[in-house]
Amino acid sequence: LWSANYAMPAFERGYLNAYALMTDVSGNARSTSVGLMLTFPLGDRRYAMTTAERRDGQWGGRAEIRQDAPADTGIGYRVAASQGIYNRREAELGWRTRHGVFTAQAVHESQGVSGRLLASGGVGYADGMAFASRWIDNGFAVVTVPDSPGIGVYRENQPAAVTNKDGRALVT
């Protein structure tokens, strides 16, 4: 139905976010939440966050630390714990490659432990070249630099591919 949010710098490097919202839950029922979230950057793609929230008369808290995977290739992770409104522990590990994104997740709640493995990617064929890639949700290009292996190819000023032994590279 409505929401309000205010954010400001806090403690030299952190950010404090205050919020309030009211939502329709089901039928005529409404849920109201107010809370504070404190976020601290811890380095390249890594940060810690803690939240205190009051929802429909009940207090809850959450703490999370995460490192996002690089845009190109690499590993990312997330570990979180909630108490009060929700009592749960979460862990996630993600691996981003040029051929797909792979994720393992685990959750512990009062009902037990659950987990899942996720994989996403794409398969394509262009200009006589079959390839496996990350999920393709836009266009892609085959770059050819005849007889020139090892040439870096950039997309939006970021490394995107390297030409193979035939001087060809796929940019997704």
Side-chain angles (χ1 to χ4, degrees):
L1 297 173
W2 61 266
S3 66
N5 186 43
Y6 180 75
M8 61 183 264
F11 306 107
E12 294 183 31
R13 291 184 39 216
Y15 304 93
L16 179 64
N17 182 14
Y19 61 91
L21 60 107
M22 180 180 283
T23 58
D24 275 333
V25 178
S26 62
N28 291 334
R30 294 194 172 149
S31 177
T32 304
S33 300
V34 293
L36 293 173
M37 179 187 308
L38 188 58
T39 304
F40 284 99
L42 300 175
D44 191 31
R45 303 177 333 272
R46 186 177 318 132
Y47 61 92
M49 176 182 69
T50 185
T51 304
E53 178 178 37
R54 184 156 176 91
R55 181 179 300 166
D56 301 327
Q58 187 177 6
W59 282 100
R62 177 180 174 87
E64 178 176 320
I65 187 165
R66 73 183 305 149
Q67 178 171 312
D68 295 328
D72 188 25
T73 61
I75 302 281
Y77 63 85
R78 181 179 65 86
V79 178
S82 302
Q83 193 68 35
I85 300 168
Y86 302 107
N87 297 317
R88 93 190 249 148
R89 312 295 176 258
E90 305 170 38
E92 180 176 312
L93 181 65
W95 180 32
R96 184 174 295 174
T97 73
R98 293 187 187 278
H99 305 292
V101 178
F102 308 93
T103 306
Q105 299 173 331
V107 175
H108 179 266
E109 297 179 292
S110 60
Q111 297 89 355
V113 177
S114 63
R116 63 182 178 171
L117 299 174
L118 306 165
S120 69
V123 176
Y125 183 83
D127 196 28
M129 184 171 148
F131 59 88
S133 71
R134 290 188 198 156
W135 184 265
I136 302 170
D137 57 356
N138 282 316
F140 58 89
V142 175
V143 176
T144 303
V145 184
D147 302 319
S148 300
I151 303 293
V153 179
Y154 287 73
R155 177 188 64 238
E156 297 178 9
N157 290 329
Q158 297 294 317
V162 176
T163 57
N164 64 13
K165 64 180 177 55
D166 300 320
R168 295 172 55 153
L170 172 72
V171 178
T172 58

